Amino acid sequence: MDQEHLPDSILIVDFGSQVTQLIARRVREAGVYSEIAPFTMAEEAFHRMKPAGIILSGSPAGVPEDGSPRAPDILFEAGIPILGICYGQQVMSHQLGGEVRPGHETGEGGEFGRAYLTVTKECALFDGLWNVGERHEVWMSHGDKVTRFAEGFEIVATSDGAPFAVIADEARKFYGTQFHPEVVHTPDGGKLIANFVRHVCGLAGDWTMAAYRETKVREIREQVGDKRVICGLSGGVDSSVAAILIHEAIGDQLTCVFVDHGLLRLNEREQVETMFRDHYNIPLVTVDAEDMFMEGLTGVTDPEAKRKFIGKTFIDVFDAEARNVGGADFLAQGTLYPDVIESVSFTGGPSVTIKSHHNVGGLPERMNMSLVEPLRELFKDEVRELGRELGLPDMFVGRHPFPGPGLAIRIPGEVTKERCDILRKADAIYLDEIRRAGLYDAIWQAFAVLLPVKTVGVMGDARTYDSVCGLRAVTSTDGMTADVYPFDAAFLTGCATRIVNEVQGINRVVYDYTSKPPGTIEWE
Ligand code: XMP
C-alpha cells in the first residue's frame, strides 16, 4: 500500500506470539486498519505507516533472557499511544526503566489460564467498560512478570498472580496488560482493544469493506495502467473476489482463465461460467483439459506424485492459455494476509516463512509477470465480507475451501474419470443433506472421499461388491488444526442411505472421526 493511501492505522509489533494475528483481528473488528510487523522490521513499518497507535505483542521469549527481542526505541519517543500485551508490557517496562523478573525468581511461578483481576483505579482503557472495585475474568499466560514499573506508570488493576495486571501512564498514553485481551477467553478483551484504538488513539472506527473496495480499485488502476491482467479462477472465494474487484477497476483489461481438469465438483464448471460470464460479464476462457489430466494420472497412486503432476500440468495449461489470449503483464492472485505475514522467531533470526498455497505458483517467474494481489491485507472472513460487498452470491462467498488438486486427492489410489463421476455424485448428495439440515455454515469443510476398497453388500436380493465412500466434516478457523464435526447418528444414517441408494458404485459409507492433528483434513 502506498503511504498516502494508508488509512488511520495501528501498527502491531510482533515478538513471535502464537496469537499476534488475533490482535489484528480485534483491531479490525473495531473498524480500524492494522498491520503486523515483526519487531525486526517495526521501525521501517513505523515510518511507512505513520500509525496513530502501537500494540506490542506477546512472545515465547522472556525479557530477562539474553538476546530476547526489544522494540525500537523510536516507538516510545513518537508521542503516540502504546498498548503492551504480556511480553509487550514487560518489554515496555524494561525499556523504560522498570524491572522484569522470571517467575521462578519471584518465588511465585507463572500464571496460566483463567484468572480474575480487580480494577483499582480509573483508566482510559476501561472507560465505559470496567469500574473501580469490579472483578473481571481475563486470560493469563506468563512466566515472568514486571516487578517494578517504569517512571510515570501506576497500577490500575491487579490479580493474585500479577500485581501489575494492568499498568498505565495516562500522560504518555502508555498501557500494559499482563493478560491477553486478544483471545476470546478474555470476555471483554475485544472491547478493551476497541477502547484503545478508538478512545485512546482517537481513531474513528470507520474502516469498512466499502472503503477498502474504493481504495483497492484506485490502487489497481494505478498499478496496472493500460496493461493486461490474467487471473486463474478456481471457483473458490479468494480468486473469485480478486477477479471481480480487479474487473471493477480495469474492466476488459482482465481475462480470467478457468482450467477444467476434470477434478471439479458436480456442476462446478457451469456455476463458474454462469457467474463470471453471464452475471459479471467478465471475459472468461475455460480450458477443457480433462483428458490431459486423466491420461497423466493413469496408474499414478502416490499422493505426492499426483499433486506434483497436477501442479505442473496446471501451470503448463495456464501458461499456454495465457499466451493464447495474447499474453499479459500481470498475474492476479487471491493471496490472503495470513499467507504473507512474516513470522519471526523470537531470537529475530531469519525464520521468515511465507506460505504459498496457490495453484499458479511459479508462473510469474516463468512468464515474467508482476503480481496483482488485492486481498493481501485481508483475512478470510474479510474476503467473504468484501465478496458480499461486491454482490457475489452467498453460494460463492460462503463456499467451503476446495484444494487445488481437486478430487484427485479425495480418491486414494488411481484416479479415473469413472471414479471422479462416482465421487461427484456422492459428494453432492452429502452436501445437499448438510445444506438441508442448515449445517453448511457451521462447518469449515465437508466432503466425500472414494476409497480404493470394495466390500460386499446386499441390495434387494442381490449381492453387491462395490466401493466404500468416506464422509468428512471438520470445524476449523484456518485449516491448520481441525475438529471433527459431531453430526448426530440419524443425520449420518440418512446420508449413508441416500448415497448407497442413489450412487451406483458405492455400497457402504463410513464417517471419518479423526481430528487434525493427527490426521490432515484431506485424505492425501
Ligand atoms: P490438509 O489436508 O493439509 O488441508 O489438512 C488443509 C486445508 O488446505 C486445503 N488444501 C489445499 N488447498 N491447494 C489448495 O489450494 C492444495 O494443494 C491443498 N491441499 C490441501 C484443504 O482442502 C484444507 O482446507
Side-chain angles (χ1 to χ4, degrees):
M1 243 189 207
D2 295 338
Q3 188 173 305
E4 59 185 302
H5 293 150
L6 261 188
D8 291 340
S9 61
I10 295 288
L11 167 62
I12 298 166
V13 180
D14 182 25
F15 293 108
S17 159
Q18 295 291 315
V19 288
T20 302
Q21 282 200 26
L22 294 180
I23 304 174
R25 306 299 314 265
R26 300 287 100 85
V27 172
R28 290 182 182 197
E29 280 161 17
V32 170
Y33 183 77
S34 67
E35 278 187 33
I36 298 173
F39 69 94
T40 47
M41 291 161 70
E43 190 162 342
E44 180 274 321
F46 170 77
H47 290 303
R48 179 174 52 83
M49 289 171 65
K50 302 198 177 5
I54 290 168
I55 300 181
L56 307 174
S57 86
S59 174
V63 169
E65 287 168 27
D66 280 347
S68 59
R70 298 288 177 261
D73 286 328
I74 190 170
L75 304 187
F76 300 112
E77 294 153 8
I80 57 173
I82 298 181
L83 172 63
I85 295 175
C86 196
Y87 184 90
Q89 182 209 45
Q90 297 167 8
V91 85
M92 174 166 65
S93 299
H94 172 83
Q95 287 185 248
L96 296 177
E99 182 188 64
V100 179
R101 289 173 63 194
H104 64 85
E105 268 183 28
T106 59
E108 291 163 5
E111 203 180 8
F112 300 90
R114 182 180 297 130
Y116 290 88
L117 55 69
T118 304
V119 178
T120 54
K121 219 169 176 307
E122 282 183 13
C123 170
L125 214 50
F126 307 155
D127 272 358
L129 190 63
W130 289 356
N131 299 307
V132 175
E134 288 176 358
R135 262 163 71 80
H136 291 283
E137 185 180 333
V138 295
W139 189 261
M140 295 277 191
S141 179
H142 64 102
D144 307 335
K145 63 181 70 163
V146 175
T147 46
R148 194 187 69 235
F149 45 70
E151 205 171 311
F153 281 88
E154 57 186 352
I155 296 173
V156 293
T158 64
S159 75
D160 291 345
F164 299 34
V166 185
I167 55 174
D169 176 342
E170 297 282 3
R172 285 189 284 185
K173 297 192 178 175
F174 289 176
Y175 304 88
T177 67
Q178 184 55 76
F179 64 90
H180 286 271
E182 71 275 34
V183 304
V184 290
H185 313 288
T186 297
D188 286 335
K191 290 182 189 151
L192 284 170
I193 289 179
N195 250 2
F196 176 71
V197 298
R198 289 191 187 170
H199 181 59
V200 176
C201 299
L203 295 175
D206 55 3
W207 190 72
T208 60
M209 274 308 146
Y212 187 85
R213 172 184 182 176
E214 239 174 67
T215 309
K216 280 294 148 187
V217 163
R218 195 173 58 226
E219 283 179 8
I220 294 165
R221 283 186 188 140
E222 280 167 16
Q223 186 189 1
V224 171
D226 58 3
K227 303 261 175 31
R228 295 178 55 83
V229 181
I230 197 158
C231 177
L233 282 184
S234 66
V237 63
D238 304 345
S239 62
S240 300
V241 172
I244 294 165
L245 188 62
I246 294 169
H247 187 253
E248 178 166 287
I250 59 165
D252 287 357
Q253 285 164 255
L254 169 74
T255 303
C256 289
V257 175
F258 180 57
V259 178
D260 180 355
H261 48 24
L263 303 163
L264 301 167
R265 290 168 285 193
L266 194 68
N267 301 330
E268 188 152 20
R269 172 171 170 171
E270 293 72 24
Q271 286 163 359
V272 168
E273 287 180 335
T274 307
M275 175 59 52
F276 286 87
R277 212 172 269 157
D278 305 342
H279 186 79
Y280 281 100
N281 212 8
I282 297 179
L284 171 69
V285 178
T286 306
V287 192
D288 201 340
E290 183 173 16
D291 291 346
M292 184 193 293
F293 278 88
M294 287 305 153
E295 271 165 34
L297 285 169
T298 305
V300 181
T301 56
D302 176 68
E304 275 312 295
K306 282 184 194 173
R307 280 176 173 275
K308 289 212 177 91
F309 166 77
I310 293 167
K312 182 187 165 301
T313 310
F314 195 97
I315 289 180
D316 288 346
V317 171
F318 192 87
D319 188 5
E321 210 48 48
R323 289 177 205 281
N324 272 352
V325 300
D329 305 279
F330 292 93
L331 176 73
Q333 287 194 335
T335 314
L336 305 190
Y337 196 44
D339 301 332
V340 297
I341 294 179
E342 296 170 49
S343 61
V344 281
S345 70
F346 61 80
T347 54
S351 72
V352 177
T353 39
I354 301 176
K355 251 193 323 181
S356 166
H357 226 224
H358 294 274
N359 299 331
V360 286
L363 257 187
E365 300 78 33
R366 180 154 144 187
M367 297 184 63
N368 204 13
M369 288 192 284
S370 310
L371 289 175
V372 183
E373 298 181 307
L375 312 181
R376 273 179 79 89
E377 288 94 7
L378 303 184
F379 290 100
K380 187 89 178 179
D381 57 341
E382 292 174 325
V383 172
R384 294 199 158 116
E385 207 182 318
L386 179 60
R388 280 186 206 103
E389 171 73 33
L390 290 162
L392 197 64
D394 276 346
M395 194 199 85
F396 271 84
V397 170
R399 210 155 197 206
H400 291 174
F402 188 62
L407 299 184
I409 56 171
R410 294 177 179 175
I411 302 179
E414 189 181 20
V415 180
T416 62
K417 178 166 176 356
E418 190 200 354
R419 290 188 77 69
C420 287
D421 286 338
I422 294 173
L423 179 55
R424 263 189 277 271
K425 285 184 199 145
D427 188 68
I429 291 169
Y430 180 42
L431 287 167
D432 180 47
E433 288 293 316
I434 288 174
R435 284 208 173 85
R436 283 194 206 193
L439 300 174
Y440 190 83
D441 292 338
I443 296 170
W444 158 269
Q445 200 171 5
F447 54 89
V449 293
L450 187 64
L451 307 191
V453 176
K454 284 190 156 192
T455 66
V456 174
V458 53
M459 282 182 93
D461 288 330
R463 174 186 193 267
T464 59
Y465 187 53
D466 275 326
S467 294
V468 179
C469 169
L471 301 181
R472 181 102 168 112
V474 294
T475 55
S476 178
T477 50
D478 52 13
M480 305 296 284
T481 59
D483 282 320
V484 177
Y485 189 80
F487 288 121
D488 62 42
F491 174 85
L492 288 173
T493 313
C495 290
T497 306
R498 263 196 78 189
I499 290 170
V500 172
N501 284 348
E502 296 176 33
V503 185
Q504 206 169 11
I506 293 176
N507 70 350
R508 193 177 294 270
V509 176
V510 297
Y511 189 59
D512 179 354
Y513 268 104
T514 324
S515 62
K516 172 183 180 177
T520 53
I521 296 177
E522 302 291 346
W523 276 41
E524 290 193 334

